[in-house]
């Protein structure tokens, strides 16, 4: 993912499933990695997968719309995990995040919910990347 920064950024997978992208994030060099997963069953599998690979990452069981984002610059990854309603809530929260945010969205069906502060910086066949700058204090 050469078009997003790694150093100093927290990687978050909203709808992390069994933790596939969390493992990849560790390989890419992210040091702070968090998954959010609605299904307790999948969240448990993700924790087991991370532990078996020796990857230090947190998995939060819950709804991404209710997730309290860390006070960090972030890469937010989403593999088309939810519909427009949840996406709208998530993006509204990210729009007021104080730090820079990059959104990597695979199969971006609900990009119309993205606030104008998110600028698309790359588009590929079935995924794209958006960036929002820090908000001045
Ligand atoms: C297509 S899978 C992607 C899994 C993983 N990110 C990957 O790339 O392999 C989408 C996941 O989002 C989860 N999900 C759906 N709605 C959610 C919500 N509101 N909050 C958190 N996770 C959700 C589903 O349970 C599912 O595991």
């Amino acid at each position: 993912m050469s078009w997003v920064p790694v150093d100093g950024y927290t990687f978050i997978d909203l709808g992390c499933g069994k933790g596939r992208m969390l493992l990849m994030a560790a390989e890419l060099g992210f040091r702070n990695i968090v998954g959010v997963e609605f299904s307790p069953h999948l969240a448990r599998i993700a924790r087991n997968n991370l532990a078996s690979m020796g990857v230090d990452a947190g998995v939060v069981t819950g709804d991404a719309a209710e997730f309290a984002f860390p006070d960090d610059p972030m890469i937010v990854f989403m593999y088309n995990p939810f519909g427009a309603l949840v996406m709208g809530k998530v993006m509204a929260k990210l729009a007021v995040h104080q730090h820079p945010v990059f959104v990597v969205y695979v199969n971006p069906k609900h990009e119309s919910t993205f606030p104008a502060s998110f600028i698309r910086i790359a588009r590929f066949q079935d995924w794209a990347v958006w960036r929002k700058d820090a908000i001045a204090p």
Side-chain angles (χ1 to χ4, degrees), residues 13-22 24 35-40 42-43 60-67 77-83 86-87 90 106:
D13 183 357
L14 297 179
C16 70
K18 298 176 183 176
R20 177 185 67 102
M21 273 312 293
L22 304 178
M24 281 183 67
V36 181
E37 175 51 51
F38 195 73
S39 155
L42 292 177
V60 175
T61 305
D63 184 349
E66 307 300 326
F67 179 61
F77 177 85
M78 296 183 280
Y79 194 134
N80 188 28
F82 25 70
V86 173
M87 185 62 78
V90 165
V106 182

Side-chain angles (χ1 to χ4, degrees), residues 3-129:
W3 21 260
V4 296
V6 173
D7 287 347
Y9 277 72
T10 294
F11 183 96
I12 298 182
D13 183 357
L14 297 179
C16 70
K18 298 176 183 176
R20 177 185 67 102
M21 273 312 293
L22 304 178
L23 295 171
M24 281 183 67
E27 275 184 25
L28 290 168
F30 287 96
R31 297 182 65 181
N32 295 322
I33 302 170
V34 181
V36 181
E37 175 51 51
F38 195 73
S39 155
H41 175 65
L42 292 177
R44 203 172 312 119
I45 293 174
R47 287 187 200 101
N48 288 342
N49 286 339
L50 291 161
S52 70
M53 298 298 285
V55 170
D56 182 18
V59 176
V60 175
T61 305
D63 184 349
E66 307 300 326
F67 179 61
F69 288 99
D71 189 22
D72 298 330
M74 301 187 297
I75 311 296
V76 177
F77 177 85
M78 296 183 280
Y79 194 134
N80 188 28
F82 25 70
L85 184 64
V86 173
M87 185 62 78
K89 289 182 184 175
V90 165
M91 293 307 297
K93 272 192 186 183
L94 293 178
V96 297
H97 194 70
Q98 295 292 310
H99 301 281
V101 178
F102 288 76
V103 171
V104 180
Y105 187 11
V106 182
N107 198 1
K109 285 190 177 164
H110 303 296
E111 64 177 288
S112 62
T113 64
F114 283 27
S117 51
F118 280 87
I119 308 298
R120 196 176 63 221
I121 59 169
R123 176 179 280 290
F124 304 93
Q125 197 173 350
D126 61 349
W127 58 283
V129 185

